[in-house]
Amino acid sequence: METSARNVFHGKVVAVRSGAVNDEVELSVEGGQSIVASITQTSTKKLGLKPGVEAMALIKASFVLLMNDAEDYLLSTRNQFSGTVSRVTPGAVNAEVLVDLPGGTGITAIVTMGSVDKLQLAPGKKVTAIVKAMHVILAVPR
């Protein structure tokens, strides 16, 4: 699959929890991570999502927030990935930040240069990448 999304995680559906309008779909992905997506019930049915189905989670890098001290807070965000910054590629306004996650995977974030300075983002820095479940797109092969 070709996509402009920087973050593509392959895995299997482990749970589908239905709500009044949206469903919460949990994937177990490579590296031992778990990703939760909030999608419409219509999409759940259209994609045939149920436990055991192979699926991909796509996350735009601009939807990934980085936080230095997440362990000091209780967050409502379902997707929280602790890792270590491995690369910062600065630009005029934004920077691309690659965070290595346990299990050999990684997640890329696009943040402002101001955030790079404020969070002191540099290789070796421990951070938590945060992604709202509403910002996760699911895909399945045809």
Side-chain angles (χ1 to χ4, degrees):
M1 175 164 100
E2 293 183 29
T3 176
S4 64
R6 286 284 179 59
N7 302 296
V8 179
F9 297 91
H10 298 268
K12 286 190 178 184
V13 175
V14 294
V16 177
R17 292 177 279 284
S18 292
V21 176
N22 285 351
D23 289 342
E24 194 175 78
V25 180
E26 183 177 351
L27 295 183
S28 176
V29 298
E30 64 268 354
Q33 302 291 329
S34 179
I35 297 177
V36 176
S38 179
I39 64 174
T40 64
Q41 289 179 350
T42 301
S43 291
T44 300
K45 289 176 187 164
K46 177 182 174 187
L47 297 175
L49 297 172
K50 59 187 173 192
V53 169
E54 290 190 21
M56 292 170 277
L58 293 86
I59 304 169
K60 288 177 54 82
S62 58
F63 288 160
V64 178
L65 305 178
L66 298 179
M67 188 172 184
N68 277 342
D69 52 359
E71 65 279 355
D72 296 333
Y73 296 91
L74 293 175
L75 302 171
S76 64
T77 308
R78 296 296 308 271
N79 299 302
Q80 301 176 35
F81 310 102
S82 296
T84 305
V85 173
S86 63
R87 187 177 73 229
V88 178
T89 305
V93 177
N94 294 327
E96 179 183 77
V97 181
L98 179 60
V99 178
D100 288 339
L101 302 176
T105 61
I107 191 165
T108 300
I110 300 293
V111 301
T112 65
M113 289 304 297
S115 290
V116 170
D117 293 339
K118 181 179 178 182
L119 298 174
Q120 300 176 344
L121 298 174
K125 176 79 172 188
K126 300 286 186 198
V127 296
T128 300
I130 300 165
V131 181
K132 291 176 59 171
M134 295 289 292
H135 288 161
V136 177
I137 298 167
L138 297 181
V140 297
R142 287 194 182 267

